[in-house]
Amino acid sequence: MVKSNYLFTSESVSEGHPDKVCDCISDAILDTFMTEDPYSRVAIESLATTNCVILAGEVRGPVATDVMIETARQAVRGIGYEQDGFHWKTMDVLVRVHQQSIDIARGVDAAAYKDEGAGDQGIMFGYACNETPELMPAPIQFAHAILRSLAEARHRGEASVLGPDAKSQVTLQYMNGQPVRARSVVVSTQHGPDLSQAKVREIVRPHVLKILPAGWMCEEAHFYVNPTGRFVIGGPDGDCGLTGRKIVVDTYGGAAPHGGGAFSGKDPSKVDRSAAYATRYLAKNVVAAGLARRCLIQLSYAIGMTRPLSVYVDTQGTGHVDEERLSAVLQELMDLSPRGIREHLGLNKPIYARTAAYGHFGRVPEHDGGFSWERTDLVESLRTVFG
C-alpha cells in the first residue's frame, strides 16, 4: 500500500561544494571537446583538494592538455573561488588523461555490420510527478532553488559575504500523497570570518521564503542555518571533491531510484547520461499528458548492444492507461538506441556545463538545445493515441 501521510527529505549542494566543483570542471571540459568535435568521446573525472585539481579519464577528440588546464581554471573562476586554500589562478592542475580504450570503442562505434552500441552495461531511471510545475518531486526542487537563489545573489554582489560552498536540506510534510508544508529547512553556507551565525541566518531567510509556497515555511525552531555555528573553511580546501559523487542530488533527491551511473564529464554516447535523460523525457511527457500523476521508467543496456534489453514503465497506481501499452507506445515515439536518443534530443552539442549544478532535471528547455529532455513535445501524440 502506498503511504499517503508522511515526511520526505531531499538535499542539494551548491556549485561550490567540493564534489560539484569537480562536476562543473568535468562538464566544462566536455563542452570544450563538443565544441571542437560534436562526436568526441569523453569520460573526464576530476578530483579537487587544497589548491589542486587532478584530471583523469579517457578521451577521443582534438582538445589539447593546455586547453583542458585553462578550462578547469575558468570553471573554478566562474564558481568564485579566490581563497588562499583554493584559487583558480594559483591552483595546480595535473592532467592524467589518455585515449579511449579500443575495446570500448569497438563496442560503441557503428560498423558495417552494426549500429552504435551502448558504451557500457547499466540501468537508468527517469521519473516525473505532478508535485511542482516542473513535474519534479517538491523537496529536491525547493532544495535546488534555495541554493541557486543564494548563488545568484552572491554573483550579483548582494551576498558577497557568503562563500561558494553551501548545502540545503528540505523536509516536506505530505498529506494524501501531496506536499502541504515544510516541516524543517536546513541551509549551511560558507561565510566570511567576521560574520555571526545570526547574521548568516537573516541573509538566508528571504531566499527560503521566496522559494517555498506562501504559508509553507517551517516553524522557527526547525529552521537550521549553519547548525555548527561556523563555516569559514569550505570548498576543496575543507573537503576533497570528486566527480560523480552527488548522483542523487543530480536526479530526484531520493524520490525515485538511481541506476548508479554518474552524468558529469560523459559524452552522450554513454547511456549512463543519455538514457537517463531519455527516461526523464518520456516520464515527464506521460505526466504532462495527464496519463498519470507519477511515472517511473527504467531502461537497461549491455555494452555494444544497440537496443535496450528492457523497458519498464510504472505509474505507481496513478495511471489511467495500460502500462504495457504505454511502454510500447513510448518505444514507437522514441528510438531508444544510443544513436536514436542522441539524435532525438540533440545531445551532440556543448550544453553540459550548465547541467553540472542544481540538478539535471526540472530545468527550462533552452533555445540552443540545452535541457532538451525537459521538453513536453510528445504530449499531443500521447493524448491522440490514448484519447
Side-chain angles (χ1 to χ4, degrees), residues 154-200:
R154 177 174 59 84
H155 285 301
R156 290 193 303 264
E158 298 168 5
S160 56
V161 292
L162 301 183
D165 194 356
K167 301 179 76 171
S168 64
Q169 184 172 288
V170 175
T171 300
L172 296 185
Q173 180 178 354
Y174 283 71
M175 299 188 69
N176 298 317
Q178 291 294 314
V180 296
R181 65 186 295 264
R183 178 62 68 88
S184 66
V185 176
V186 184
V187 179
S188 296
T189 179
Q190 188 182 10
H191 59 85
D194 299 326
L195 210 61
S196 69
Q197 183 183 21
K199 181 61 176 175
V200 175

Side-chain angles (χ1 to χ4, degrees), residues 101-115:
S101 160
I102 59 172
D103 292 338
I104 293 176
R106 70 180 295 178
V108 178
D109 291 347
Y113 60 92
K114 74 175 191 71
D115 198 356

Side-chain angles (χ1 to χ4, degrees), residues 42 95 118 123 163 181 208 251 272 298 312 364 367:
V42 183
V95 180
I123 56 176
R181 65 186 295 264
V208 176
T251 53
D272 276 344
Q298 183 206 61
Y312 168 80
V364 177
H367 294 301

Side-chain angles (χ1 to χ4, degrees), residues 11-128:
E11 72 157 349
S12 180
V13 298
S14 73
E15 65 206 56
H17 182 280
D19 296 329
K20 275 291 145 204
V21 169
C22 294
D23 287 344
C24 289
I25 292 170
S26 294
D27 273 337
I29 293 173
L30 170 60
D31 276 0
T32 302
F33 274 88
M34 300 297 283
T35 298
E36 294 297 319
D37 178 1
Y39 298 95
S40 295
R41 297 286 166 76
V42 183
I44 290 287
E45 313 288 343
S46 305
L47 178 149
T49 185
T50 301
N51 231 25
C52 180
V53 168
I54 300 173
L55 307 177
E58 307 80 45
V59 299
R60 193 173 74 194
V63 176
T65 297
D66 60 338
V67 176
M68 285 190 264
I69 292 173
E70 182 59 22
T71 301
R73 292 194 188 282
Q74 292 306 314
V76 173
R77 183 183 188 183
I79 293 168
Y81 273 111
E82 295 185 346
Q83 301 171 5
D84 290 342
F86 196 69
H87 196 297
W88 65 271
K89 188 180 291 186
T90 61
M91 68 185 190
D92 294 325
V93 183
L94 307 179
V95 180
R96 299 293 184 267
V97 175
H98 59 82
Q99 290 294 304
Q100 183 186 55
S101 160
I102 59 172
D103 292 338
I104 293 176
R106 70 180 295 178
V108 178
D109 291 347
Y113 60 92
K114 74 175 191 71
D115 198 356
E116 295 175 19
D120 200 355
Q121 70 178 48
I123 56 176
M124 300 84 204
F125 288 94
Y127 182 70

Side-chain angles (χ1 to χ4, degrees), residues 214-283:
W216 279 40
M217 183 61 174
C218 62
E219 296 177 0
E220 189 67 13
H222 300 296
F223 177 41
Y224 306 98
V225 177
N226 285 7
T228 65
R230 182 178 169 88
F231 185 4
V232 174
I233 300 172
D237 188 32
D239 191 11
C240 179
L242 291 169
T243 298
R245 206 158 54 175
K246 287 292 177 283
I247 56 178
V248 174
V249 170
D250 286 341
T251 53
Y252 307 101
H258 191 292
F263 301 157
S264 290
K266 296 179 180 177
D267 75 82
S269 75
K270 279 73 170 174
V271 286
D272 276 344
R273 184 169 214 159
S274 57
Y277 290 170
T279 51
R280 162 62 179 174
Y281 171 67
L282 294 177

